[in-house]
Amino acid sequence: MHAFRDVDYDRYTITKEYDPEVETVRQRDMIERAASLAKEREEKLGRRMSACVVTFGCQMNARDSEKISGVLISSGIELVDDENADIVIYNTCTVRDNANQRVYGRLGNLGVMKKKHPDKKIVLCGCMVQEAAVIEKIRQTYPFVDMIFGTHNIYKFPELLVRLLEEDGMIVDVWKKTDSVVENLPTLRKYPFKSGVNIMFGCDNFCSYCIVPYVRGRERSRKSSEILEEVRRLADSGVSEVMLLGQNVNSYGRGLEGELNFPGLLREVEKTEGIRRIRFMTSHPKDLSDELIEVMAESSKICSHLHLPVQSGSSRVLEMMNRKYTRESYLKLVSKLRAAMPELSITTDIIVGFPGEEPADIDETVSLVHEAAYDNAFTFIYSKRAGTPASNYESKMSEEEIGEGFNRVLAAVQEEARKNVSRFAGRTMEVLVEDVNDKDKEYVTGRLSGNVLVHFKGDASLIGSYLQVKLCENKGFYYIGERV
Ligand code: SAH
Ligand code: SF4
Ligand code: F3S
């Protein structure tokens, strides 16, 4: 590792080829600069500067928010939940249009706040701003936004923070792509006992409805040595559950010469002392190997849960979606998984209303939900994303038909969840306590290895501990339990 000061920054520009290690040092240096700027502001204000980071997207988006928060904290800025803060950062998502609409709605409110407090800084980052049309709209409709940066240069956030504190006017720094992975910036974890760990970035699958490959770029795996080092550091600092993150973890290591594959990586993570639970997201069915099933079945740490998005139960629709598996091959995979791991909880994602889909295809999705016996499923109405192949396909169903189909799928999902989750009723199982219950402060909320939520009497002192809990009452997707 280079020392902090002896780097010749002028020697290279970061848009060209560069040494990620040097970049890490440079960004750490920027944190020191941001800290001294924040200190100046603090003296003027007579209080610490505050910042509020809001996450709109998936686990990967949430992990990016932790990195942003880590830099803010390291710069001496206080993190708050209140959007009255001096700096508000929206980490956006664009996977469906309603995610975009939520951001626009809330930006309007921020604009009103800023009228009263002109020093307030408003920042947009994440997937939504990777689209040129969005940046144009913000320039025109929300000109009070102070900074926009994208998904590829998030590691540069310390430097961007310095600019935010020093400059006036809208700063826009969005890159079309990146090939690099910059390591080792500070992160702030939301939970002290569990953490996400990126194992890869981007996606190369180009499902025909999906915008992610366009806003997150090509698939890039991190080196296993870096991942294992991060897991070890997390374990040393008290983390006992890690969630390995990627859009398609099953293709981990592809393109990195001599690198481990995903099952190999899991075997190594398993060896880390202090880690008790290993989760991962997301598995694309087309790349799920027998070796992975073997590693999962043998492991004492890999959780008994697999999120295996199916999207549709109709092979015809799957083909149009470019998913590269069929209804039959998916169900065969589910049987193989169940034969190897009878206790496994399987969950999924489903899209209803894909252009070209017909009510008969939805019948097939409903029957697949029953056959696959999911513990839970996220069901979405198809949202047209500009620039994706499916945006040119023609819809064959009316809005009413789509709504009706959505309700049928949802009813099947709820029926299956209630039935399948009830298999644990009356048993005593290990729960990792995560939080005090939102609604009733006398209760805490934890998770089974199979990811099912359990609420039981307890207090904040239990957070982070593994307890034996009797599962008394099945409430559909969750349990009310009793500590034994
Ligand atoms: N990489 C993951 C999914 C990431 S996006 C995978 O392939 O499984 C999370 C979910 O959002 C997807 O599984 C899909 O169900 C849904 N989704 C993606 N694009 C969508 C769109 N255009 N309209 C509706 N739902 C969509
Ligand atoms: Fe989107 Fe498909 Fe990639 Fe998942 S695998 S992120 S659905 S393109
Ligand atoms: Fe995640 Fe949304 Fe981006 S789902 S990868 S935050 S578009």
Side-chain angles (χ1 to χ4, degrees), residues 103-302:
V103 168
Y104 290 133
R106 289 175 66 162
L107 262 183
N109 296 341
L110 286 186
V112 175
M113 289 174 166
K114 186 159 173 162
K115 279 226 172 81
K116 284 191 216 137
H117 302 284
D119 284 344
K120 187 181 187 74
K121 297 282 190 188
I122 298 172
V123 180
L124 286 185
C125 62
C127 296
M128 190 174 149
V129 302
Q130 285 298 133
E131 292 182 88
V134 169
I135 298 179
E136 210 33 55
K137 174 160 174 161
I138 289 163
R139 277 208 164 105
Q140 286 181 2
T141 317
Y142 307 96
F144 52 81
V145 168
D146 297 280
M147 185 161 84
I148 301 175
F149 68 93
T151 55
H152 298 306
N153 53 346
I154 184 167
Y155 71 85
K156 258 182 75 180
F157 180 63
E159 187 172 347
L160 292 164
L161 179 61
V162 167
R163 291 186 60 192
L164 182 73
L165 296 173
E166 272 178 344
E167 295 175 24
D168 290 323
M170 194 188 284
I171 302 162
V172 179
D173 193 358
V174 177
W175 300 0
K176 278 217 174 76
K177 63 179 187 108
T178 183
D179 302 321
S180 65
V181 176
V182 176
E183 301 281 355
N184 293 328
L185 285 174
T187 51
L188 177 84
R189 294 195 312 272
K190 192 167 168 217
Y191 297 96
F193 55 89
K194 69 168 185 176
S195 179
V197 175
N198 297 111
I199 65 167
M200 58 211 296
F201 301 96
C203 182
D204 277 352
N205 289 308
F206 291 95
C207 302
S208 64
Y209 51 81
C210 184
I211 191 114
V212 170
Y214 305 89
V215 295
R216 286 275 168 175
R218 297 290 58 72
E219 183 179 293
R220 300 155 332 264
S221 292
R222 283 176 76 194
K223 281 195 211 135
S224 58
S225 55
E226 296 280 358
I227 297 167
L228 293 167
E229 169 67 24
E230 182 173 339
V231 171
R232 205 185 46 71
R233 271 201 318 266
L234 288 167
D236 289 346
S237 72
V239 166
S240 65
E241 177 180 304
V242 287
M243 159 109 61
L244 307 181
L245 297 172
Q247 292 298 351
N248 179 13
V249 292
N250 296 335
S251 64
Y252 171 77
R254 203 181 280 170
L256 280 185
E257 212 165 309
E259 192 45 276
L260 296 171
N261 62 7
F262 184 54
L265 179 68
L266 282 171
R267 281 199 186 95
E268 292 304 312
V269 173
E270 173 116 17
K271 292 181 191 154
T272 313
E273 219 174 292
I275 296 298
R276 283 180 69 163
R277 280 185 174 182
I278 304 168
R279 300 186 185 279
F280 50 84
M281 261 189 108
T282 301
S283 271
H284 195 306
K286 78 176 163 69
D287 297 313
L288 199 152
S289 63
D290 289 349
E291 188 187 0
L292 177 64
I293 299 178
E294 209 174 290
V295 170
M296 286 179 77
E298 278 168 8
S299 165
S300 59
K301 295 184 178 177
I302 298 174

Side-chain angles (χ1 to χ4, degrees), residues 1 26 56 83 133 153 155 242 246 261 295 316 445 448 474:
M1 197 69 181
R26 175 185 151 95
F56 286 82
E83 294 187 23
N153 53 346
Y155 71 85
V242 287
N261 62 7
V295 170
R316 195 180 73 85
T445 297
L448 300 178
N474 174 17

